[in-house]
Amino acid sequence: MNYLLTFLEGIISFISPCMLPLLPVYVSYFGGGNSVKKQVFLKALSFVAGFTVIFAMLGVFAGTIGHLLSEFKTIVNLICGIIVVIFGLSYLEIIRLPFFKGVKSSGK
C-alpha cells in the first residue's frame, strides 16, 4: 500500500505547478525516519515511476493530437491566427469581448 501511495504522490506532484518547494518534504519522506535502505530505494523508485508514467502519457497524448491535427494544418493555423488577432484587438480595446469584461486595462 505504501508503494502505491508513493507512486500516486509522484503522479500528483507532477500535476502541481509548485513542486519545487515540496522537494525537501519528499526527500525527508524518502530518507527520514528509521527506514531501511531497500525501503527508501523502493519509495524513490515508485516516485520516479509516477513521473515517468505522466511524461509518457502526456507525450502520447500530444503526439496523437498532433498527428490528428496535421491533416488539417492549414485550417488550424488559420483559426489560431484569427484567434490571436482577435485577442490582440481586444487587448488594444478596439473590440470588446464579453468574457474579458472583468479584466481592466492598467494603462492611464
Side-chain angles (χ1 to χ4, degrees):
M1 181 68 182
N2 284 336
Y3 300 121
L4 177 64
L5 183 62
T6 305
F7 178 77
L8 291 175
E9 288 174 0
I11 290 175
I12 291 170
S13 68
F14 176 76
I15 296 170
S16 171
C18 304
M19 191 191 116
L20 189 59
L22 296 176
L23 284 179
V25 174
Y26 286 122
V27 170
S28 66
Y29 178 72
F30 293 144
N34 296 325
S35 297
V36 181
K37 286 185 180 182
K38 183 179 178 182
Q39 288 177 339
V40 172
F41 176 74
L42 288 175
K43 288 179 181 180
L45 188 64
S46 298
F47 183 77
V48 170
F51 276 103
T52 303
V53 167
I54 290 296
F55 275 115
M57 287 172 44
L58 287 173
V60 167
F61 179 72
T64 302
I65 295 297
H67 180 70
L68 292 173
L69 292 178
S70 68
E71 187 176 331
F72 307 103
K73 188 190 305 188
T74 304
I75 295 170
V76 170
N77 283 342
L78 187 63
I79 291 172
C80 290
I82 290 170
I83 290 171
V84 168
V85 169
I86 290 172
F87 284 171
L89 293 173
S90 173
Y91 180 75
L92 294 172
E93 296 180 350
I94 294 173
I95 62 172
R96 304 247 186 244
L97 297 176
F99 52 88
F100 287 144
K101 186 177 181 181
V103 178
K104 302 217 184 236
S105 174
S106 62
K108 293 183 180 181

